[in-house]
Amino acid sequence: MGLGVGVNGGRRARAGSVVSGFAAAAACALGVVTNYAASAVPDWASRPPVVWSVFGALAVGAVVLELVGRRLGAVESARSAAQVGPWPVRRPPVAGMASLRAPQGSGAVRGRDGELAALRRLLARPQGRYAVVCGVGGIGKTTLAAALADVARGEARRVFWIRWRAPDELAEQMIRVALACGLPDARLEEARAGRVALPDVVWEQLERTPAWLLVLDNVDTPQAVGPDGEDVASYRGWIRPGGRGLLLVTSRNADAAVWGARAVLHRVAPLEPAAGSQVLRDAAPGAGTADEARALAERLGGLPLALHAVGRYLGAPGSRHRSFTAYTAALDTQLGTLLGATQLRATDPAVGRTLVRHTWELSLDQLAADGTPLARSVLRLLALLAPAPVPVRLLTPELVTEATEQQTGVTEVEAALNGLHTYGLVDTPTGHDGQPVLGQVLLHPLVREITAHIHATESEARDRYRQALVGCLVDAARATGARAADWDGARLLAPHLLVAAADTANEDDRDLADAVDHVGRSLSAAGDYGSALQLRQAAHEITARSLGPDHSDTLNSRNDLANALDLFGRHQEAADLHQQVFTARERILGPEHPDTLLSRSNLANALDHLGRHQEAADHHRHILATRERVLGTDHVHTLHSRNNLGLALGYLGEHQAAAELHREALSGYERVLGADHPDSLNSRNNLALALDDLGRHREAADLHQQVHTAYARVLGPDHPDTLNSRDNLGLALGHLGHHQDAADLHRQVVAAFERLLGPAHPSTLTSRNNLGLALENLGHHRDAADLHRQVLATRERVLGPDHPRTLESRNNLAAVLRAAGRAGRGSGSRTRRRFLNAGRR
């Protein structure tokens, strides 16, 4: 009986240990013996050998159980320690509490009112959520978090700030947070002993503490936070949503899947120009005007790290450049000694993340460490393109393989792009509806510029990258057609082709010139006359430089450039170039060669647009007669000549002859090309204008309605030809007395042309003129006069004081002023400018 009590009393059971089960079993066995000893003694107990054998067996069993229990207890303790983490769990020194203090804010945070308001709402009501402030390096994540910390302190909340460096340091800092919130030493001892996981202890204490803000700053490697490889999204580690306070994490990693469903991601965007301007003026108030600061802020892409760095530079007494304007100009030639300058201490991540030249290299290093080394190469390829959206389909495995000389597959390229997006180095552009445009990526302009600089100055493979990229652009351009389905792809390629064409290394690349011209032709068909002009100019420069001024390809290119100038409204320059090409072709090919006739026809169209209608009509008569004799009456070029002569005669007031020519041309177009071909629609539009001139307004309006419906279906509602047709329909409705309907149509067209072509384009001015006439017919004389004044001033500046359209505006303004003075309809001439579309082939 004494032995049984001794064994049972000598065991110290550990909570949660398997030993307690074994000890209970031993106690039960011994209890049986003592119970028997307390009652009548059985027969076997009176025989010593039997008794000693039983007690001997029990003693051996107890020893075995003790050894097994200790072994299993050791395993369980090891498991508990793994849950706690690899850090020593001890009470940190009180002096270390100062490291939890948040950095003091730098005063007003410019341009972040919306983000800060959203974070304040989350701070007030976390509701089991936490915040992740994410974005590219240098975007101002820490500044935004510090601003929220200032708010929290002002609301008497406890604020704790931890800078992420390593798991063991994070554990120690989190213990300090818990102790500051009143964690008992006994509870910390339980974690030390392995009876409970340390993160559980800390978060239990935080959830017992009201009104706090805990910031984990610069957690760019969330997978390392742990403990023990624990996924952040499991919320079993150090990062957890709270109910009584708010955890805020700043990170370059914007992958929502990493942070889990209860994370509220706040993606920080670049500052708007006005806010960026204010940041610069705060730092360097004497460096220039608000507009000059705004221009510099736009040049820096609104990146706060760059804005603050430039502001400090401009405010320093020894800086070479002391004004916003001087610094903006210097960036074009001295980037490498300004924002692109290297720093010796940049290898220290704490230093590197504060430097524009080095901060993004840290993200690329991390991507490489995470198994995506190709991200750096893909970023450098993107940096060689224009600061515009890039179609993802352009970044083929073949391109990356050629550039890097490493065999690459689709999976690796996708992983590189996704990794760059996760770390904010590339973004997804947004469409007009504010939604992300899938299949495209966009670099921040400064990321692009700095990366291109690093690649140009440090990489030995820069020429190989460039050649691979040019070849890829040429292939993509060749695959682009002139159909409406190809226009969006052409628009995406255009800025990147222009960057390649401007590179002096490609100044004699004829394949590139052909590709640029090909996309220019597509965009001209799309009505994007500004982009088409830029492309034709670039193609012509390469072609003329490599082949000489009189080569047939050079003349073709110059002809295309002249047509682009004419479509863009620069009619005098177009006429001058067409005259050059016509003279050269007449000398080299002869007067009746098809190319010579083409040049003469295009020259006549430009003269018509300059108001020199008689000269244009004389040219078109000669060309029509020659083409009918040489090419035949139904050749498309002959039909163009018939159409163009009809236009010139209409300008000269010969409306019946013009109508007959347009009717003949339309019949031929429909027979040769079909009723819905753009040339057939153009011809039908011009016939409707001729009928309107003849006073047959109902026929004209019906025909214009047909044309407008077809144009909208074939070319789209915002194509310039569709807009021209809508404006002409408005004119016809006005002639029928439907002045409000006419004004509504003209107003739509003016807004669209201003957006597409600019306020000074001839088409925009024509629409504004026609709107003024419609408003006058409605009795809105003051509004009409204001519009006519605007049109007159612009036409005098763009076309000259004696151009027929300028004279038309002067006449219309005088008439509306007379009508306003009599408070009635004026008797003066009301010239309505018509849109007349000329064939150019």
Side-chain angles (χ1 to χ4, degrees):
M1 184 173 176
L3 179 61
V5 171
V7 173
N8 202 29
R11 285 287 281 137
R12 288 189 61 189
R14 285 189 289 257
S17 173
V18 182
V19 173
S20 60
F22 289 137
C28 181
L30 291 172
V32 171
V33 176
T34 57
N35 287 341
Y36 272 115
S39 59
V41 179
D43 291 341
W44 60 268
S46 62
R47 291 177 286 182
V50 175
V51 172
W52 286 111
S53 297
V54 171
F55 275 100
L58 288 172
V60 171
V63 171
V64 171
L65 289 172
E66 174 69 14
L67 293 175
V68 171
R70 288 183 178 182
R71 175 62 177 168
L72 291 175
V75 171
E76 187 170 337
S77 295
R79 186 179 296 113
S80 297
Q83 291 176 351
V84 173
W87 323 283
V89 181
R90 62 184 183 276
R91 183 181 182 89
V94 176
M97 294 297 181
S99 64
L100 298 175
R101 293 175 185 166
Q104 293 295 319
S106 57
V109 179
R110 304 294 186 183
R112 299 299 189 201
D113 293 346
E115 295 95 329
L116 190 56
L119 289 171
R120 291 187 69 169
R121 290 192 294 270
L122 193 59
L123 176 65
R125 300 185 65 189
Q127 296 181 320
R129 299 169 295 169
Y130 74 105
V132 178
V133 176
C134 51
V136 68
I139 202 67
K141 303 180 291 294
T142 298
T143 300
L144 183 57
L148 185 66
D150 288 344
V151 171
R153 275 192 295 265
E155 296 175 349
R157 297 177 186 271
R158 297 187 180 202
V159 177
F160 307 102
W161 192 286
I162 298 175
R163 291 175 179 82
W164 161 255
R165 294 184 180 88
D168 55 347
E169 185 175 345
L170 174 61
E172 184 171 317
Q173 298 282 56
M174 291 296 286
I175 293 171
R176 287 177 173 148
V177 170
L179 290 172
C181 292
L183 178 68
D185 286 346
R187 189 62 171 155
L188 184 61
E189 174 61 23
E190 289 184 70
R192 187 200 65 76
R195 292 194 291 273
V196 65
L198 179 59
D200 290 343
V201 169
V202 170
W203 275 99
E204 285 169 5
Q205 187 61 40
L206 283 171
E207 286 303 286
R208 283 193 289 267
T209 305
W212 49 265
L213 171 66
L214 170 58
V215 177
L216 299 184
D217 193 24
N218 294 332
V219 185
D220 297 335
T221 54
Q223 68 277 9
V225 172
D228 195 30
E230 193 75 68
D231 285 343
V232 169
S234 71
Y235 304 139
R236 292 192 296 265
W238 291 119
I239 295 178
R240 305 186 185 191
R244 306 199 68 187
L246 178 66
L247 169 67
L248 185 151
V249 179
T250 71
S251 177
R252 300 184 181 196
N253 192 315
D255 187 350
V258 167
W259 304 107
R262 297 169 75 179
V264 180
L265 269 63
H266 296 266
R267 291 179 171 85
V268 185
L271 290 174
E272 292 296 326
S277 168
Q278 191 60 60
V279 170
L280 290 170
R281 286 184 289 145
D282 288 344
T289 67
D291 288 342
E292 291 166 345
R294 182 188 180 98
L296 178 53
E298 289 178 335
R299 178 70 170 76
L300 298 173
L303 188 78
L305 180 63
L307 292 167
H308 287 292
V310 171
R312 288 193 300 272
Y313 174 92
L314 292 174
S319 300
R320 303 189 306 277
H321 310 291
R322 305 304 302 276
S323 70
F324 299 134
T325 302
Y327 196 97
T328 302
L331 283 174
D332 291 335
T333 57
Q334 301 174 38
L335 180 68
T337 61
L338 296 171
L339 291 176
T342 59
Q343 299 287 338
L344 295 177
R345 296 178 55 230
T347 53
D348 178 359
V351 176
R353 70 174 55 252
T354 67
L355 303 171
V356 174
R357 165 66 172 73
H358 297 280
T359 186
W360 302 309
E361 291 296 311
L362 296 177
S363 298
L364 294 172
D365 291 343
Q366 186 59 52
L367 282 167
D370 292 344
T372 314
L374 199 64
R376 181 173 271 107
S377 297
V378 170
L379 184 66
R380 290 184 172 182
L381 280 169
L382 290 169
L384 295 177
L385 294 167
V390 179
V392 172
R393 60 182 171 81
L394 194 65
L395 298 168
T396 63
E398 293 77 15
L399 166 63
V400 180
T401 296
E402 184 178 351
T404 63
E405 294 187 331
Q406 297 177 2
Q407 190 62 40
T408 305
V410 174
T411 303
E412 289 88 347
V413 175
E414 289 178 348
L417 281 171
N418 290 334
L420 291 169
H421 187 268
T422 294
Y423 279 82
L425 292 170
V426 302
D427 203 355
T428 303
T430 55
H432 297 303
D433 57 358
Q435 297 301 311
V437 180
L438 301 181
Q440 299 176 25
V441 294
L442 181 67
L443 264 68
H444 183 280
L446 206 56
V447 173
R448 170 189 172 271
E449 201 165 5
I450 293 293
T451 302
H453 170 74
I454 294 172
H455 183 59
T457 56
E458 297 183 3
S459 174
E460 296 180 356
R462 55 185 178 274
D463 290 339
R464 189 171 67 245
Y465 274 59
R466 178 190 56 76
Q467 291 168 2
L469 199 54
V470 169
C472 185
L473 285 169
V474 168
D475 290 342
R478 286 172 174 166
T480 301
R483 299 170 303 172
D486 298 314
W487 293 345
D488 286 342
R491 288 189 181 96
L492 283 174
L493 288 176
H496 309 300
L497 286 165
L498 288 171
V499 166
D503 189 337
T504 55
N506 303 322
E507 60 183 7
D508 294 323
D509 192 329
R510 287 297 319 291
D511 288 337
L512 177 61
D514 290 343
V516 171
D517 185 74
H518 186 77
V519 173
R521 186 178 304 114
S522 179
L523 292 184
S524 183
D528 188 352
Y529 301 140
S531 297
L533 175 58
Q534 289 180 293
L535 291 162
R536 298 291 183 136
Q537 180 71 52
H540 178 63
E541 288 175 359
I542 295 175
T543 304
R545 186 167 48 240
S546 58
L547 297 178
D550 283 345
H551 191 280
S552 59
D553 287 348
T554 303
L555 295 176
N556 289 339
S557 178
R558 192 174 299 141
N559 174 80
D560 292 340
L561 173 58
N563 280 336
L565 287 165
D566 205 25
L567 286 170
F568 198 64
R570 292 161 61 176
H571 303 309
Q572 187 60 61
E573 294 171 79
D576 293 342
L577 279 183
H578 279 311
Q579 183 66 65
Q580 293 178 22
V581 178
F582 171 53
T583 301
R585 282 176 167 171
E586 190 174 43
R587 172 172 49 83
I588 297 170
L589 303 174
E592 294 191 353
H593 189 280
D595 287 350
T596 306
L597 295 175
L598 173 68
S599 290
R600 188 170 185 174
S601 177
N602 290 338
L603 171 61
N605 289 333
L607 294 174
D608 221 5
H609 296 150
L610 287 170
R612 295 159 64 178
H613 305 308
Q614 189 60 60
E615 293 176 73
D618 292 344
H619 280 298
H620 284 310
R621 275 197 190 89
H622 178 86
I623 297 165
L624 176 59
T626 305
R627 280 177 167 173
E628 284 180 335
R629 176 169 48 80
V630 174
L631 301 176
T633 57
D634 273 353
H635 192 282
V636 171
H637 287 186
T638 306
L639 298 176
H640 289 334
S641 289
R642 196 168 290 126
N643 173 79
N644 293 342
L645 177 57
L647 294 177
L649 293 179
Y651 276 121
L652 291 170
E654 300 179 28
H655 304 308
Q656 186 60 53
E660 292 172 1
L661 284 168
H662 286 310
R663 202 179 299 279
E664 292 175 15
L666 176 59
S667 176
Y669 279 128
E670 289 181 337
R671 185 169 58 253
V672 174
L673 301 176
D676 276 351
H677 190 280
D679 287 344
S680 299
L681 298 179
N682 171 39
S683 180
R684 195 174 299 127
N685 170 81
N686 294 339
L687 173 59
L689 289 171
L691 293 174
D692 208 27
D693 286 334
L694 289 170
R696 297 158 63 176
H697 304 310
R698 172 49 61 188
E699 293 177 73
D702 292 343
L703 202 53
H704 277 310
Q705 184 64 67
Q706 295 175 22
V707 174
H708 179 257
T709 301
Y711 266 135
R713 184 182 71 253
V714 175
L715 300 178
D718 280 346
H719 191 282
D721 286 351
T722 308
L723 297 175
N724 289 344
S725 178
R726 190 177 306 153
D727 207 70
N728 289 337
L729 175 59
L731 288 176
L733 291 175
H735 291 153
L736 290 171
H738 302 163
H739 302 307
Q740 187 60 59
D741 292 338
D744 292 342
L745 288 175
H746 293 315
R747 194 173 277 111
Q748 293 176 23
V749 175
V750 168
F753 271 136
E754 285 180 341
R755 185 180 73 253
L756 295 173
L757 302 178
H761 189 278
S763 295
T764 309
L765 297 176
T766 295
S767 296
R768 197 177 292 129
N769 173 81
N770 293 343
L771 175 58
L773 294 171
L775 291 176
E776 181 187 352
N777 287 327
L778 288 170
H780 302 164
H781 302 299
R782 180 175 298 176
D783 293 338
D786 290 343
L787 281 173
H788 286 309
R789 283 193 187 93
Q790 295 172 18
V791 175
L792 175 59
T794 307
R795 281 177 168 171
E796 285 179 334
R797 174 171 50 84
V798 174
L799 302 176
D802 296 328
H803 190 282
R805 303 289 78 76
T806 306
L807 299 176
E808 164 193 293
S809 288
R810 192 173 292 122
N811 176 69
N812 288 341
L813 175 58
V816 75
L817 290 175
R818 287 195 302 271
R822 292 193 303 271
R825 183 182 176 93
S827 60
S829 171
R830 299 295 189 275
T831 305
R832 286 165 173 80
R833 175 75 169 108
R834 296 93 39 87
F835 285 104
L836 306 173
N837 301 320
R840 284 184 170 76
R841 289 191 298 273

